[in-house]
Amino acid sequence: MTGPSMTTAPAVELRNVTLAYHTFVAVKDVSLSIRKGEFVTLLGPSGCGKTTILRSIAGLVQPTGGEISVAGRRIDNVPIHKRNIGLVFQNYALFPHKSIFDNIAFGLKYRKVEKAEIARKVKRALDMVRLPGVEKKLPSEMSGGQQQRIALARAIVIEPDVLLLDEPLSALDANLREEMRTELKIIQREVGITTIFVTHDQEEALAMSDRIVVMNKGEIEQLGTPEDVYRRPETRFVASFLGQSNLLPGRITAIADGQARVQLDGGPEIIAAAPASARAGAAVTVVVRAQKVTIGAGSKAMPGKVISASYLGGTAAYFVESGGIRLQSNATIDERVWREGEAVGITINPADCLLLDEKGDRLV
Amino acid sequence: MNAVAESRGLGWRLVQVFTVLVYVFMFAPIMVVVILSFNDSQFGGFPMTGISFRWYAKLMENDAVLRAFQTSIIVALITAVICSALGVLGALALVRYEFPGKEWINTILIAPALVPETVLGVGLLLLMRWAEQPRTLWLLVLGHIMLALPYVVLVVQARLIGIKRVYEEAALSLGANRIQTFREITLPLLMPAVVASLLLVFTISFDNITASMFWRPSGVETMPTQILSMLKVSISPEINALGTLMIIVTVGLPLIGGGLARYLARSGR
Ligand SMILES: Nc1ncnc2c1ncn2[C@@H]1O[C@H](COP(=O)(O)OP(=O)(O)OP(=O)(O)O)[C@@H](O)[C@H]1O
Ligand SMILES: [Mg+2]
């Protein structure tokens, strides 16, 4: 653990990993390097290959190409039971016929740990997940949240090189999910364990991760900190998948003073901050988060009309129309809630606009 | 209004009467055998002339019956153990692994349950004659395994499908190899099905007459073939006693086992 090569080698490394089920390619040429102690989330829509990546690191499926290393050791040809990896499943997968003690002790037994030491470690693991004294119970006697904590304890107690979590919170109800989210993050910090977390819940991903891997159709779309992927989406997919965004196609008519004038297709003109590579005449897509579209009575603003309005307490969600295009606006309520059919002024700060090129990649 | 209620009442009565009749039809012969086994009379029929255990006592002195009983028990036990082991392995392969020809093998394993026993009996016999093998007790065991295997595979498969694969995957990820995983996780969760199939096979083998008549070595009788040959000579009340004993074995055993399986299933969940 302390050798010089260990400190430099990434905790987990995937190099050009590809995996096909028969002819269907579920994971395409994925490369990924994770530092020790990092919490990385695989985020993406259903069927994009998140579970498949996790299962290939665990050894439950065999990649058709590429290399996987854990703690500097090639593992893609090592059988699963020799990989030293902690796995937590969506439905906990606690052994139903074994007591909580035997569940947690299971991995230790195969690591030739002494009886007394096993008892001590199990107790410490249960303290860590805040469930002391449940050793003798059966999994069926525990609630979903408790079972998931036991599953976590069982995976961590073997001191794995990496902890893999496949949608561990999605079977819990909303309140419990939020609570477990915090708790899981605290435990992960405490233990300092490298963690790969799979979810299709973006809020979960943004709240918990050091870095997020946004995936689509078996490929990595973007890899970055939560702020990176949220505020600076690199592709059209990321821009539309995270949060609610307006994607407005158009063409740059002029560039001046670091600002681009964009004529939206079949709509009004909009001013966006111009990245260095922006050129006049280029076809682009303007991306604006719905929260950054504000509406008010202002006269300087772009004129528009409210098509629909939903009151959400602190904020309101609107669809507004302006010169033939439709915009989504989720704004905090400053003046009042605008009603359907009302004429309003739409304001978009040029700094809040990102530009994508024709291929859907962000201009920089 | 009244008429409707009345006709419904009448219909309901009819259903009740019918149900009782069906039960009588099903269980009367069994009751008759059991009751007559305690009849003191020389003749194996009504009327009862007194209650006695003399036919049971006589049975215990009948060497041929005791030998047949022993043969049946041994054959049934060996068949049950081998057949259940094979069935578990077969079902495991069919449910947990992908391999070419899987569908075919599944069909072939189930087929003996669909083919008439007489055909199977003659078939195996012809095969043995062609291979110039003598008819031994092992042939009988082999035949019974063939007869019972489909049921075992079906029972175990059904349970195995219900055992989620994630349990096995979790065990593997924690460091248990495939054999340890089978022993620690799959087999204990499968136990109710194993107990059920042991019992099922035991009864199938113990009860079988059609196929056994073809396969038994000459001079060897199983319980059912023994009864049949006794019937050819005379209808002695001994047969009633024997029948009662067989009922106890073939009904009592599954009842005990069913309870055991249910207990295992409950503590296993
Ligand atoms: N055993 C399999 N055989 C064939 N195709 C599979 C198999 N497992 C997964 N797939 C396919 O591979 C793709 C990726 O599956 P995967 O389970 O990795 O998705 P996921 O991102 O985890 O989705 P979800 O969020 O729904 O869990 C899917 O399109 C799925 O249909
Ligand atoms: Mg998945």
Side-chain angles (χ1 to χ4, degrees):
Chain A
M1 282 281 174
T2 50
S5 65
M6 286 302 179
T7 50
T8 53
V12 181
E13 188 167 26
L14 275 69
R15 278 184 297 275
N16 310 105
V17 171
T18 294
L19 193 144
Y21 296 108
H22 304 286
T23 55
F24 177 75
V25 183
V27 172
K28 269 177 236 154
D29 198 30
V30 163
S31 296
L32 182 62
S33 177
I34 297 171
R35 290 187 294 275
K36 193 160 171 5
E38 208 177 2
F39 192 113
V40 170
T41 298
L42 306 182
L43 174 68
S46 187
C48 71
K50 308 180 294 288
T51 298
T52 305
I53 290 186
L54 219 59
R55 289 172 71 83
S56 53
I57 299 172
L60 292 165
V61 287
Q62 189 63 34
T64 27
E67 293 177 9
I68 301 174
S69 301
V70 170
R73 176 173 74 124
R74 259 305 276 282
I75 55 152
D76 44 280
N77 289 318
V78 177
I80 170 168
H81 63 279
K82 292 185 179 154
R83 287 194 185 191
N84 198 35
I85 274 166
L87 254 181
V88 176
F89 301 86
Q90 182 176 0
N91 294 307
Y92 333 127
L94 294 178
F95 307 131
H97 59 299
K98 289 184 181 289
S99 67
I100 299 303
F101 181 91
D102 289 337
N103 263 280
I104 299 178
F106 193 86
L108 297 172
K109 220 169 54 183
Y110 292 102
R111 283 169 172 71
K112 312 260 182 309
V113 181
E114 271 178 65
K115 273 231 168 74
E117 182 65 12
I118 289 184
R120 215 164 326 140
K121 286 192 172 197
V122 170
K123 186 175 180 313
R124 205 162 354 118
L126 282 173
D127 287 343
M128 180 188 69
V129 296
R130 288 169 192 75
L131 283 173
V134 299
E135 281 94 338
K136 292 208 182 69
K137 288 196 178 182
L138 282 173
S140 57
E141 295 168 316
M142 316 210 66
S143 73
Q146 291 173 326
Q147 288 188 49
Q148 196 54 293
R149 282 183 228 202
I150 301 295
L152 187 64
R154 182 177 71 176
I156 289 182
V157 80
I158 60 169
E159 293 165 28
D161 295 322
V162 54
L163 181 63
L164 307 178
L165 306 156
D166 194 352
E167 310 209 14
L169 308 181
S170 60
L172 306 175
D173 63 53
N175 285 336
L176 197 55
R177 187 162 14 178
E178 219 148 297
E179 192 185 313
M180 276 296 290
R181 187 198 283 177
T182 320
E183 199 154 325
L184 178 61
K185 188 65 210 191
I186 292 171
I187 292 170
Q188 190 265 339
R189 281 266 170 72
E190 265 173 26
V191 184
I193 190 171
T194 314
T195 303
I196 306 181
F197 183 87
V198 160
T199 184
H200 55 235
D201 180 334
Q202 41 177 300
E203 208 178 299
E204 224 167 76
L206 293 169
M208 299 174 80
S209 323
D210 294 322
R211 284 194 297 162
I212 296 177
V213 182
V214 184
M215 297 189 55
N216 183 32
K217 294 185 182 153
E219 287 178 292
I220 295 183
E221 289 274 340
Q222 185 170 357
L223 171 57
T225 63
E227 227 191 317
D228 271 343
V229 294
Y230 191 77
R231 300 190 52 179
R232 288 175 291 280
E234 266 162 27
T235 65
R236 172 186 295 272
F237 175 80
V238 179
S240 58
F241 184 71
L242 280 157
Q244 281 157 322
S245 292
N246 295 288
L247 283 94
L248 313 165
R251 189 170 292 277
I252 300 178
T253 51
I255 298 180
D257 306 331
Q259 292 196 327
R261 215 170 250 286
V262 181
Q263 176 63 50
L264 299 179
D265 293 352
E269 207 166 55
I270 203 170
I271 310 288
S277 62
R279 296 283 169 268
V284 291
T285 302
V286 181
V287 180
V288 200
R289 292 251 170 248
Q291 297 100 293
K292 300 294 183 184
V293 178
T294 48
I295 58 180
S299 54
K300 283 187 295 173
M302 192 158 92
K305 201 175 92 178
V306 177
I307 301 173
S308 77
S310 336
Y311 176 61
L312 303 172
T315 61
Y318 302 103
F319 276 105
V320 286
E321 200 187 320
S322 176
I325 60 160
R326 187 184 271 207
L327 287 165
Q328 202 179 349
S329 162
N330 289 358
T332 48
I333 301 163
D334 298 330
E335 303 171 41
R336 61 185 181 87
V337 183
W338 302 92
R339 283 186 305 275
E340 269 173 48
E342 267 187 295
V344 289
I346 304 164
T347 325
I348 297 171
N349 188 340
D352 292 327
C353 297
L354 296 174
L355 296 180
L356 305 175
D357 67 15
E358 273 175 303
K359 291 201 300 276
D361 294 333
R362 181 162 60 90
L363 290 173
V364 286
Chain B
M1 183 92 179
N2 223 350
V4 172
E6 215 160 81
S7 77
R8 189 179 295 157
L10 186 70
W12 188 233
R13 255 301 126 67
L14 268 173
V15 169
Q16 283 176 328
V17 169
F18 225 80
T19 309
V20 170
L21 281 178
V22 168
Y23 275 105
V24 168
F25 180 75
M26 278 166 62
F27 288 105
I30 297 171
M31 290 318 295
V32 167
V33 168
V34 174
I35 291 166
L36 287 180
S37 72
F38 298 106
N39 191 356
D40 200 27
S41 154
Q42 292 266 16
F43 309 100
F46 285 108
M48 301 278 290
T49 57
I51 289 186
S52 91
F53 285 91
R54 64 186 270 212
W55 301 117
Y56 288 92
K58 194 153 178 238
L59 211 54
M60 292 306 140
E61 287 158 18
N62 188 333
D63 277 343
V65 167
L66 290 181
R67 237 181 299 123
F69 188 74
Q70 201 184 1
T71 307
S72 272
I73 291 277
I74 289 173
V75 167
L77 280 178
I78 296 175
T79 308
V81 171
I82 297 179
C83 197
S84 298
L86 287 177
V88 168
L89 294 179
L92 210 57
L94 288 171
V95 174
R96 285 292 192 261
Y97 295 93
E98 288 300 327
F99 51 88
K102 183 165 143 170
E103 293 302 314
W104 279 99
I105 290 176
N106 202 352
T107 311
I108 289 169
L109 273 179
I110 307 301
L114 308 172
V115 177
E117 262 182 47
T118 327
V119 177
L120 284 178
V122 174
L124 188 60
L125 205 59
L126 288 175
L127 188 71
M128 284 298 145
R129 184 146 316 150
W130 173 77
E132 296 182 344
Q133 293 297 312
R135 273 196 279 165
T136 65
L137 219 50
W138 286 110
L139 174 69
L140 191 61
V141 169
L142 189 73
H144 282 187
I145 289 174
M146 181 171 78
L147 285 178
L149 196 57
Y151 302 99
V152 176
V153 170
L154 287 175
V155 167
V156 178
Q157 251 181 352
R159 172 89 191 171
L160 205 51
I161 287 167
I163 299 174
K164 281 181 277 166
R165 208 182 280 213
V166 282
Y167 297 134
E168 290 156 19
E169 293 178 344
L172 289 166
S173 80
L174 289 167
N177 63 29
R178 284 191 184 282
I179 294 170
Q180 290 161 337
T181 299
F182 176 76
R183 205 184 53 215
E184 287 258 0
I185 308 298
T186 320
L187 189 59
L189 293 176
L190 210 51
M191 221 46 204
V194 173
V195 172
S197 70
L198 281 171
L199 291 165
L200 197 61
V201 178
F202 186 92
T203 0
I204 288 174
S205 167
F206 194 81
D207 274 353
N208 186 276
I209 180 156
T210 321
S212 295
M213 297 226 307
F214 289 98
W215 297 334
R216 72 200 152 99
S218 50
V220 172
E221 300 282 358
T222 67
M223 208 63 206
T225 63
Q226 175 67 24
I227 293 177
L228 196 66
S229 65
M230 280 163 79
L231 278 174
K232 279 181 202 152
V233 184
S234 71
I235 304 185
S236 154
E238 249 182 297
I239 288 175
N240 294 330
L242 198 50
T244 305
L245 288 180
M246 282 201 58
I247 290 167
I248 290 170
V249 172
T250 54
V251 175
L253 214 61
L255 283 182
I256 295 168
L260 188 66
R262 219 164 305 138
Y263 171 77
L264 285 173
R266 202 174 314 129
S267 64
R269 191 150 302 142

